[in-house]
Amino acid sequence: MGSGAGGSYGGGNGGSQPYAPSYHVEKSMHERDLKNGTYHDGHYDKNPTAKNINDMINGNYVGNKNTNIDMPYVIDLKGNIILGKRNGNGKDGAPTPHPTLIGGKDPQVQMAGIVHIQGGKIASYDNQSGHYKPNSKSMGAADEAFGKLPSAVFKKKKGH
């Protein structure tokens, strides 16, 4: 996998926050999420499809050999990769954003983005999150977390 400093894994999310070891949801997103029904009473709902990626690995695949999907992911403060579908559980079917992968009040992450799975293999991951806007320098946290997964679940050989 590549790193976020240039290449296909970084930038392009409409600006980023300054580099930090963890990120909070940008305050400007709370009003939007209130309208969408995924944020209320000072906390985010939990996406019912959210799972630790380790619980999704079946042998050499994430899911199975027919899994083809782009899924939002977050890396929590413990280094776990949490994935979930943008399932439209918000008000009027609004998609569920990155903070719902953890849920609760002030869900902090080391990294957030989209993981691209093709044929059950991780093809790539990036830092595309409008809620957290992680700095591309935080791709190191993603590289470290994804680097702990079995190499068989990657479409290409891991490494830079």
Side-chain angles (χ1 to χ4, degrees), residues 2-127:
S3 79
S8 62
Y9 303 116
N13 62 353
S16 67
Q17 295 192 57
Y19 173 75
S22 67
Y23 297 94
H24 300 270
V25 175
E26 291 225 326
K27 300 274 187 225
S28 64
M29 300 305 288
H30 289 160
E31 186 174 326
R32 184 183 118 180
D33 294 335
L34 277 167
K35 290 177 185 174
N36 289 341
T38 56
Y39 178 78
H40 47 86
D41 300 324
H43 77 278
Y44 278 92
D45 294 331
K46 174 90 183 231
N47 182 329
T49 69
K51 290 184 182 177
N52 186 306
I53 195 169
N54 291 307
D55 296 333
M56 300 173 72
I57 295 175
N58 297 313
N60 295 333
Y61 299 99
V62 177
N64 62 54
K65 66 180 181 178
N66 297 315
T67 302
N68 296 297
I69 191 167
D70 291 344
M71 295 179 82
Y73 78 88
V74 296
I75 299 173
D76 69 15
L77 297 181
K78 295 179 182 177
N80 298 305
I81 302 169
I82 310 297
L83 303 177
K85 294 180 181 176
R86 290 208 127 141
N87 56 10
N89 279 352
K91 185 178 177 184
D92 298 325
T96 48
H98 282 98
T100 65
L101 295 175
I102 297 175
K105 185 176 180 171
D106 191 24
Q108 295 178 57
V109 301
Q110 293 181 43
M111 185 61 178
I114 304 295
V115 62
H116 310 280
I117 301 170
Q118 298 173 349
K121 305 285 186 177
I122 297 170
S124 65
Y125 49 86
D126 61 33
N127 67 332

